[in-house]
Amino acid sequence: MIYLDHAATTPVDGRVLREMLPYFAENFGNADSLHAYGRRGVAAADAARDEIASLLGAKPQEIYFTSGGTEADNWALLGAARANAARGKRVLVFSAEHHAVLAAAGALRAEGFAVEEIPSTAEGAADLNALEELLRRPACLVAVMAANNETGVLQPTAEVSRLCRAHGALYFCDAVQAAGSEKLDVNVPHADLLSISAHKFYGPKGAGALYIRTGTRMQPLIAGGHQERGLRGGTTNVPAVVGMAAALRYAAAEREQNNAKVRALRDAFIARILASVAGAQLNGRGERLPGIANFSFEGIAGAAMLQRLDLAGVAASVGAACSSGSAQPSHVLLAMGLSPERAAGGVRFSFGKDNTEADAAAAAEEVIRAAKDLRKS
Ligand code: PLP
């Protein structure tokens, strides 16, 4: 089996798992308990918070643990818009955001917020001219991700941030897909809110964080106990946050070597496919995450290619994992102006640090064979 779906999720790094294990059965205390068991839990969670903050250029009290990227994204949109509606009951959202952001924006619309989409360029980046135009009228919040999860296209976050500050709008950056391979700093560019999720960078699933800049007005999304400074109730998932901190530490320390390796594998794979499959088109241009290659194959449905590859032992994905199996065209590719047919044909291959040259070469041959067979049938 060749796993080329690291943008959907990554395996937990063995070193990360080893750091997590003592917090399941041995040091299992509730981090809110006022005894030795609880103190061990709170010490571990505090250390994780400190480390994550330092790796993101934030203060520890600005890091809020969540159950993953989806919760962090929902909280950023709903919590910040509701608390800052006085700045204008209007929210601007990049049209190629993850469904976690788009669906939360839909919920805001149902509450009476005006929600407007920032269009995508044909290359797959947020259109800055359109954003500047949209910001002529007051908006309380702007959401533009750091990197797109389907195409890997890096977004112009520095310019987005500058425009938001110039127009008095909060800037929320979904950095879930970027966090493993891009250097993140909440001050460069300046973000008011930023989300990450551990399972995208060799940490555990169900562990995420939302950075909330000091002074940002915010409403809770989850009511409950006084955890996370009263803004997010729920017993702290100590092993998960310990794992998230460890995974982010390794991602930062090994970034350059992992990116160079993954980029080389991905580029060799792209070159082989473009040279050998007629009608293969790479979706998304300009600067991209090192591991992602998104192709459309003329006349071939993405789901058919995926199934054929799965039978051959190659795991890839059609766009966002959550829409896998559905024949819907990708909203990301549609936003870039692709035809519905090509947008339904997008197949995402995402390489990871444990892939090899042999994986990339064998997977390319399977894609070439699959394209031939599917066109014959
Ligand atoms: N945002 C982006 C850009 C993503 O790629 C994903 C996951 O695919 C999410 C949010 C959701 O994160 P999680 O799976 O942790 O809920």
Side-chain angles (χ1 to χ4, degrees):
M1 289 294 293
I2 302 174
Y3 185 76
L4 297 183
D5 202 11
H6 294 82
T9 196
T10 54
V12 174
D13 186 304
R15 298 167 297 179
V16 170
L17 180 60
R18 276 195 292 283
E19 289 191 39
M20 293 172 67
L21 283 175
Y23 294 96
F24 284 101
E26 203 180 315
N27 301 323
F28 62 88
N30 185 322
D32 295 310
S33 297
L34 302 174
H35 45 56
Y37 292 88
R39 280 196 295 278
R40 281 201 286 276
V42 80
D46 282 351
R49 199 186 306 278
D50 288 353
E51 186 161 31
I52 291 167
S54 135
L55 290 164
L56 297 179
K59 302 185 190 89
Q61 65 272 23
E62 295 175 317
I63 300 297
Y64 293 79
F65 294 136
T66 67
S67 64
T70 298
E71 184 194 327
D73 286 358
N74 270 261
W75 188 15
L77 268 276
L78 298 166
R82 288 171 183 160
N84 294 278
R87 294 176 184 225
K89 233 180 152 187
R90 185 162 168 265
V91 173
L92 307 178
V93 180
F94 178 35
S95 54
E97 289 292 305
H98 190 271
H99 288 294
V101 171
L102 294 179
L108 284 174
R109 187 177 280 133
E111 285 178 21
F113 280 82
V115 176
E116 287 173 58
E117 289 202 346
I118 305 157
S120 170
T121 64
E123 285 74 29
D127 183 330
L128 291 169
N129 292 331
L131 175 59
E132 193 159 18
E133 195 59 38
L134 285 164
L135 279 170
R136 284 181 197 278
R137 284 184 297 126
C140 60
L141 180 66
V142 171
V144 176
M145 63 206 327
N148 184 266
N149 48 297
E150 293 192 29
T151 60
V153 172
L154 295 181
Q155 299 300 319
T157 51
E159 294 84 348
V160 170
S161 166
R162 189 182 54 74
L163 285 170
C164 288
R165 295 188 82 181
H167 291 86
L170 294 172
Y171 173 36
F172 163 54
C173 181
D174 172 345
V176 167
Q177 199 59 239
S181 56
E182 302 308 300
K183 176 156 176 39
L184 294 179
D185 184 331
V186 295
N187 299 306
V188 190
H190 177 108
D192 299 293
L193 302 137
L194 181 141
S195 58
I196 61 168
S197 177
H199 75 102
K200 305 290 186 181
F201 47 88
Y202 304 91
K205 293 167 186 55
L210 182 64
Y211 159 79
I212 306 175
R213 185 173 291 279
T214 303
T216 308
R217 292 165 66 90
M218 197 67 181
Q219 279 190 14
L221 181 68
I222 295 182
H226 59 271
Q227 292 92 350
E228 303 300 310
R229 290 165 299 288
L231 278 178
R232 198 277 188 183
T235 300
T236 306
N237 187 346
V238 176
V241 300
V242 165
M244 176 159 54
L248 198 60
R249 181 199 321 133
Y250 290 121
E254 296 162 9
R255 175 174 297 122
E256 274 163 36
Q257 88 195 52
N258 287 341
N259 284 0
K261 176 186 173 183
V262 162
R263 189 185 304 279
L265 296 179
R266 191 267 319 257
D267 289 349
F269 177 79
I270 290 176
R272 179 83 181 106
I273 286 178
L274 289 180
S276 312
V277 182
Q281 234 168 326
L282 192 64
N283 298 317
R285 285 188 294 280
E287 283 213 63
R288 283 174 292 128
L289 294 175
I292 295 185
N294 187 313
F295 283 103
S296 293
F297 302 97
E298 204 179 358
I300 299 175
M305 173 61 87
L306 208 66
Q307 240 169 14
R308 179 71 177 63
L309 289 176
D310 186 29
L311 288 174
V314 178
S317 154
V318 282
C322 52
S323 53
S324 296
S326 81
Q328 295 298 315
S330 144
H331 72 283
V332 173
L333 302 183
L334 283 178
M336 290 161 62
L338 270 63
S339 67
E341 194 204 350
R342 222 182 107 189
V347 181
R348 179 186 67 186
F349 302 90
S350 45
F351 291 79
K353 66 186 173 81
D354 298 323
N355 284 132
T356 61
E357 277 179 30
D359 288 344
E365 294 319 306
E366 289 302 343
V367 172
I368 295 165
R369 196 168 307 142
K372 266 196 202 124
D373 289 354
L374 289 167
R375 283 192 175 131
K376 263 191 249 151
S377 58

